[in-house]
Amino acid sequence: MVQLHESIAALFASRGQWRQAYQHLRSALDLLSSEQTNPPQVPEQLRREVDRLRREHAEAREQSLRDSLTASYNRRYLDQRLLGLLGEADRQGGLAVALVDLDFFKQVNDTFGHLIGDRVLQRVVELLQDGLPEGAFCARYGGEEFVLVVPGIDTGTAVAVCEAARARVERYPWTQLAPDLRVTVSIGLAHELTGSPADTPATDPKEQLLRADSLLYVAKQSGRNAVAYREQDGRVRLAGAAGGRRAVAQPRPVGYN
């Protein structure tokens, strides 16, 4: 039976089905344990195979949660993590969810080609992730949109984190990738405090993402290259230098298409 389990494990491994292969190797070890009165001496080759399968399984799981182009987390990971964060009743501080959109990205692809466009996306992710607080992460939402999730943070710090990310993108020497290339981003920041009486906390990832999307609309309609957020009194503001703009658009209703 031990040899049978090992053979089946090898078959599953050859097909890339690491979980099933690992289970059969574990069954082989259990049989070895039950057949011997003394603690079994696990063959070194079998031990190495189990360790290899564990590593490959962990790597495969990590890859399934990453975007293949930018190496940022993907939508699956974003939904899972947001659901967990929103469900933490004892969550300390606040939760910031920022929806980031590259301004006029279609023009970048049309003017410089999709290869440069891909490199722009990769570099933007690096710039967005640079300097994020511990526990924060960046995920690709779709196309040229990304999400920054920062747990355990107050409103002022969340605004500062997003404004710093926006400024890093704007200041980056994009002409190193292509002459006359310029890239900026617009950001809608949805932030809530645990137990805050001023606002009903979001209860699912879609709801908070819709709130961020509503504020992203403000940033875009107010001239782009800006961070839009809502203060505790409900007023919508633009952060940093964009705060001096005279015309600030009104957010569209949450859930509006």
Side-chain angles (χ1 to χ4, degrees):
M1 286 298 294
V2 171
Q3 292 179 348
L4 177 60
H5 279 296
E6 290 178 349
S7 298
I8 295 175
L11 178 60
F12 277 124
S14 67
R15 297 176 177 175
Q17 296 172 276
W18 309 116
R19 182 187 296 274
Q20 295 91 329
Y22 174 72
Q23 289 172 345
H24 279 280
L25 285 175
R26 290 302 309 172
S27 296
L29 284 174
D30 292 340
L31 285 172
L32 284 172
S33 300
S34 64
E35 291 174 357
Q36 298 181 24
T37 56
N38 297 322
Q41 298 297 317
V42 181
E44 184 60 28
Q45 183 178 357
L46 181 58
R47 188 193 303 277
R48 289 198 301 267
E49 186 69 9
V50 169
D51 290 341
R52 182 181 68 82
L53 289 172
R54 283 175 176 167
R55 290 194 303 270
E56 290 180 348
H57 177 69
E59 292 171 0
R61 172 169 172 75
E62 178 69 14
Q63 290 174 2
S64 74
L65 299 174
R66 293 281 183 177
D67 174 61
S68 59
L69 175 63
T70 65
S72 62
Y73 285 108
N74 59 21
R75 183 68 179 273
R76 178 192 300 177
Y77 180 86
L78 173 66
D79 290 342
Q80 290 176 357
R81 287 287 288 125
L82 270 183
L83 190 61
L85 289 169
L86 291 169
E88 292 177 4
D90 59 345
R91 173 162 47 86
Q92 298 297 315
L95 175 63
V97 175
L99 189 56
V100 183
D101 183 76
L102 275 70
D103 298 326
F104 304 111
F105 184 66
K106 184 179 184 300
Q107 292 183 11
V108 172
N109 280 330
D110 291 346
T111 303
F112 301 98
H114 287 275
L115 180 59
I116 292 295
D118 287 348
R119 294 176 65 185
V120 166
L121 291 176
Q122 293 166 342
R123 190 58 51 85
V124 165
V125 166
E126 293 173 359
L127 294 168
L128 292 177
Q129 293 179 144
D130 184 27
L132 281 182
E134 184 178 356
F137 66 90
C138 175
R140 190 175 187 182
Y141 191 61
E144 66 269 22
E145 288 188 325
F146 298 87
V147 176
L148 299 179
V149 177
V150 190
I153 194 171
D154 60 82
T155 302
T157 307
V159 172
V161 167
C162 291
E163 174 61 14
R166 181 208 63 78
R168 282 195 299 273
V169 174
E170 181 184 27
R171 292 195 302 262
Y172 185 79
W174 293 105
T175 53
Q176 292 180 357
L177 294 184
D180 301 323
L181 175 62
R182 180 173 182 266
V183 179
T184 61
V185 295
S186 298
I187 302 177
L189 169 62
H191 178 270
E192 60 183 40
L193 293 173
T194 304
S196 172
D199 193 13
T200 302
T203 57
D204 64 76
K206 181 179 179 181
E207 183 178 350
Q208 186 145 3
L209 286 167
L210 286 173
R211 294 181 182 186
D213 183 65
S214 176
L215 291 164
L216 175 61
Y217 174 85
V218 173
K220 288 181 177 180
Q221 295 302 311
S222 301
R224 291 181 166 80
N225 191 23
V227 177
Y229 66 100
R230 190 183 297 276
E231 293 187 328
Q232 290 301 303
D233 61 9
R235 290 182 297 177
V236 175
R237 301 283 192 184
L238 299 180
R245 296 176 185 174
R246 292 183 178 181
V248 178
Q250 292 300 308
R252 60 187 179 187
V254 173
Y256 174 81
N257 292 319

